DNA sequence: TTCGTGCTTGACGCTTACGTAAACGTAAAG
DNA sequence: CTTTACGTTTACGTAAGCGTCAAGCACGAA
């Protein structure tokens, strides 16, 4: 078995912040809340691909409106060790729970998109009415 | 043109709170932020179907992770008067904006659901491994 | 009249998710 | 050696979204 020699790229906190358009404060805050655990080289933080993925997951969770506490649980699911049976059952339970939530949100989105389409149609109708009115003057 | 005589039902704050499972404080807070404008009968609040719809829209917005300020803009779009051309153009712009956001969120949800499916599959595989192992003892 | 029930308006408290200095370390470049 | 860039911790500030009293009004039943 050979050591598959991937570059094993790393990033500084500033690089990661620039890439994902967040502040350094935000990244450090996520670490403070246990969402990130970068390596330390001296006192400085060094981020590995794994940390990068976690940050992306965190931000996706935020866009979805989850709290950081919820995001912590979700993200930790991805990194979960095989563990024993009870742990796996718990994980499966969590998955079901999150899926239910997400499907509710998807329904909310569909409904809202439809509502927006209606408002838009009304808008166009109103615009047409205005134009017809001014044309006939 | 006859006066279509719908019952014109109304609700108290407590009834509305119970129906949507929010506290009185929450409903009053939404009013404070300009999201609701119930009728007053003496000092008491009286909610009409229109208010009920708005509350439902607010809560859906919350599930979608919008801030109350954003929700205010969205909900007000529904009730917008025909208005003049500039106003309508602004509204259409807002609609496009919201739609873009919602479509991003929908993509996030799809991705997350797929990720969850993968974690779930891994989970089931791990469970199977555990069972096979204990079977062979 | 008194009680209970449901409503009202403050007003202070709390948590989340950061922003915003302040004060300091370190390492390469000029 | 000093400047500059980039990083660090500590800590107070703040906006949002309510929770949680406190104190009081209104109204029908007992």
């Amino acid at each position: 078995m050979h050591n598959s020699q991937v570059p094993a790229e790393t990033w500084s906190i500033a690089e990661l912040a620039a890439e994902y358009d967040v502040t350094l404060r935000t990244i450090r805050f996520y670490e403070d809340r246990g969402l990130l655990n970068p390596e330390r080289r001296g006192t400085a933080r060094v981020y590995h691909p794994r940390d990068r993925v976690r940050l992306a997951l965190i931000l996706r969770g935020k866009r979805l409106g989850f709290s950081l506490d919820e995001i912590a649980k979700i993200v930790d699911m991805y990194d979960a060790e095989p563990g024993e049976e009870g742990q796996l059952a718990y994980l499966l339970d969590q998955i079901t729970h999150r899926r239910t939530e997400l499907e509710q949100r998807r329904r909310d989105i569909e409904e809202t998109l439809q509502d927006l389409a209606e408002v838009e149609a009304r808008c166009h109708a109103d615009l047409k009415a205005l134009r017809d009115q001014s044309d006939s003057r």
Side-chain angles (χ1 to χ4, degrees), chain A:
Chain A
M1 200 178 184
H2 73 137
N3 190 335
S4 37
Q5 192 67 11
V6 280
E9 198 175 351
T10 64
W11 296 268
S12 73
I13 188 169
E15 288 167 343
L16 222 55
E19 179 171 358
Y20 288 98
D21 195 28
V22 293
T23 67
L24 308 192
R25 177 71 178 88
T26 298
I27 294 184
R28 294 197 192 102
F29 181 72
Y30 291 162
E31 179 175 347
D32 213 54
R33 302 299 302 274
L35 293 168
L36 293 173
N37 272 26
E39 185 198 336
R40 293 294 183 131
R41 208 160 284 172
T43 99
R45 294 166 171 86
V46 174
Y47 297 86
H48 292 263
R50 171 179 175 281
D51 303 307
R52 226 177 75 112
V53 170
R54 286 182 73 99
L55 179 54
L57 289 176
I58 294 166
L59 297 177
R60 195 176 69 185
K62 284 220 61 191
R63 286 198 300 274
L64 292 177
F66 287 106
S67 76
L68 288 188
D69 278 10
E70 291 174 311
I71 291 172
K73 289 183 193 170
I74 297 173
V75 173
D76 283 340
M77 284 176 22
Y78 292 85
D79 285 352
E81 295 294 314
E84 28 97 32
E85 188 151 347
Q87 172 70 7
L88 285 173
Y90 171 75
L91 235 178
L92 284 172
D93 196 58
Q94 282 290 307
I95 290 173
T96 301
H97 178 217
R98 299 301 167 191
R99 175 149 37 219
T100 304
E101 278 186 354
L102 288 171
E103 281 163 356
Q104 169 65 49
R105 272 166 211 228
R106 187 162 55 179
R107 280 194 299 278
D108 286 334
I109 287 180
E110 302 299 345
E111 286 176 21
T112 307
L113 282 173
Q114 284 187 26
D115 289 355
L116 285 184
E118 285 174 31
V119 176
E120 188 178 20
R122 215 181 59 204
C123 244
H124 283 304
D126 290 348
L127 265 179
K128 187 173 183 313
L130 274 178
R131 297 238 165 80
D132 289 352
Q133 182 186 342
S134 74
D135 281 354
S136 69
R137 268 192 321 218

